[in-house]
Amino acid sequence: MSITFSIDGQIYRGAKSITVLNRLDTICGEFSIDITEPPETFPIKAGQSIEIQVNNQNVLTGILEKIIFNNEINDRTITLQGRDKTLILVDSSPLNQLSFQRNISLE
């Protein structure tokens, strides 16, 4: 099985773990990627596009939202987290911004 991910078109291999979650009770799919050997230069930034492929089949197209650096002595990993591109619709939805008040008179 071949698992790769690309960020803004740059292909990366050799992740320690890749998790993709698509649940029925949420609109957005989520992902988390742990990297143990980061590239020499680290050009990855939050907000970049990401695609995750399994056997050359795209399983997620999304946006990188968080980069978490773990610098413990025995565990030097970088975790990349984000959601699929439906986050654009969810985050811009007016339902996320509405609030309702009770006992309002229409007089």
Side-chain angles (χ1 to χ4, degrees), residues 31-50:
F31 68 87
S32 179
I33 301 171
D34 290 332
I35 303 171
T36 55
E37 297 179 21
E40 289 291 319
T41 59
F42 196 76
I44 300 171
K45 297 180 180 99
Q48 291 181 297
S49 309
I50 186 165

Side-chain angles (χ1 to χ4, degrees), residues 6-41:
S6 60
I7 298 176
D8 281 349
Q10 173 68 42
I11 297 174
Y12 296 91
R13 291 180 173 77
K16 179 180 175 182
S17 69
I18 297 179
T19 304
V20 176
L21 296 173
N22 287 308
R23 301 183 329 215
L24 293 174
D25 62 339
T26 61
I27 296 172
C28 291
E30 301 172 353
F31 68 87
S32 179
I33 301 171
D34 290 332
I35 303 171
T36 55
E37 297 179 21
E40 289 291 319
T41 59

